[in-house]
Amino acid sequence: MRTILVTGASKGIGSAVACGLAQDGFHIAVHYLTDKKGAEQTLAKIKEIGGNGRLISFNIADRQQCQQVIEQDIEQHGAYYGVVNNAGITCDTAFPAMREDEWNSVIHTNLDSFYNVIHPCVMPMIRLRKGGRIVALSSVSGVMGNRGQVNYSAAKAGIIGACKALALELAKRQITVNCIAPGLIETSMASLDPTAKDEVMRMIPMRRMGTPDEVAGLTRYLMSDIAGYVTRQVISINGGMV
């Protein structure tokens, strides 16, 4: 059975992706950092729909820990067929007021995790000689920039560049590398007050937020066998914002 590592799978988009891919027959490595209960709930949902998986925990911003835990998991269970690099954080503020730690935490977590998580997975994936799939979550902020998110926009734009370059390196191995750039998804909007939501809605031609399941559907396609000729792409899912 082919295994896919999904980071940040304890809630939101990550949980929806993990469950969707399990429906497609993949064994899911359900990653979490602190929300073990949420990860266990995701795994329970996976098993309810007839899928299977396991829990895995590490800090995506800690390079040494990522390498150690991922290498141990691969040694025990075999190489991953795919990776969905989903986990990330935000720390929004206007750039003139942005503290050094607010910049560093977002860059180290969101951009460095591309290396920290994917690098230990690539050579084992290559050695399998069975192709593979890598999907990294960027954001509409990484495509068009967003007020109050200079740090987040920088990190997510960096992920786009990293995906495009890695796709070139791995194409001859039949390993695809693609980037999904979601717009405003329901999970990320829960804390906004009604006035802020109304303002944001005016930016979206479809006049609604996306759902985690819609992002999961796109991920499922990119992980499927039929998407084997799709690589080096940035696919937006944002209701027409861009």
Side-chain angles (χ1 to χ4, degrees):
M1 182 176 288
R2 297 184 293 187
T3 297
I4 294 178
L5 168 64
V6 181
T7 67
S10 59
K11 56 185 174 292
I13 291 173
S15 180
V17 166
C19 293
L21 290 172
Q23 282 185 295
D24 295 334
F26 294 105
H27 183 99
I28 308 300
V30 179
H31 165 266
Y32 70 97
L33 176 56
T34 58
D35 188 6
K36 185 177 182 180
K37 182 178 179 181
E40 289 173 340
Q41 290 172 344
T42 298
L43 185 57
K45 290 177 185 176
I46 286 171
K47 292 183 177 179
E48 283 175 12
I49 59 178
N52 210 343
R54 61 182 183 271
L55 299 182
I56 183 170
S57 179
F58 53 82
N59 181 355
I60 63 170
D62 186 329
R63 184 163 299 163
Q64 184 175 358
Q65 186 182 109
C66 286
Q67 181 179 351
Q68 181 180 0
V69 174
I70 290 171
E71 286 181 350
Q72 287 177 351
D73 191 64
I74 289 173
E75 183 177 355
Q76 184 175 357
H77 298 285
Y80 306 129
Y81 174 75
V83 179
V84 180
N85 196 42
N86 163 73
I89 64 169
T90 58
C91 192
D92 298 349
T93 188
F95 187 72
M98 187 176 292
R99 301 190 309 269
E100 183 177 334
D101 64 293
E102 292 173 328
W103 174 269
N104 288 341
S105 63
V106 170
I107 296 295
H108 290 325
T109 302
N110 293 352
L111 182 54
D112 288 0
S113 65
F114 184 92
Y115 180 91
N116 297 348
V117 173
I118 295 174
H119 190 263
C121 303
V122 167
M123 281 310 302
M125 193 183 293
I126 289 172
R127 292 189 192 105
L128 274 183
R129 298 180 181 275
K130 294 182 179 179
R133 302 281 186 268
I134 294 171
V135 173
L137 272 288
S138 179
S139 167
V140 66
S141 296
V143 175
M144 61 181 281
N146 191 32
R147 185 188 305 273
Q149 289 192 321
V150 174
N151 50 0
Y152 186 74
S153 297
K156 291 300 188 178
I159 287 172
I160 290 173
C163 281
K164 285 181 173 290
L166 185 59
L168 290 174
E169 294 186 10
L170 297 181
K172 66 182 179 181
R173 308 284 187 176
Q174 305 306 309
I175 298 172
T176 66
V177 185
N178 291 290
C179 199
I180 293 176
L184 298 166
I185 307 302
E186 286 176 359
T187 57
S188 63
M189 295 288 288
S191 62
L192 286 185
D193 60 56
T195 301
K197 283 186 179 180
D198 287 342
E199 182 179 345
V200 169
M201 284 301 161
R202 287 196 291 271
M203 300 169 56
I204 306 171
M206 292 192 76
R207 293 295 189 267
R208 70 172 179 88
M209 293 175 283
T211 69
D213 284 339
E214 288 173 320
V215 180
L218 178 54
T219 311
R220 291 170 69 176
Y221 166 70
L222 291 174
M223 285 285 168
S224 70
D225 290 338
I226 203 170
Y229 201 51
V230 181
T231 194
R232 207 185 177 201
Q233 301 305 303
V234 181
I235 305 176
S236 294
I237 177 166
N238 58 36
M241 287 180 70
V242 180

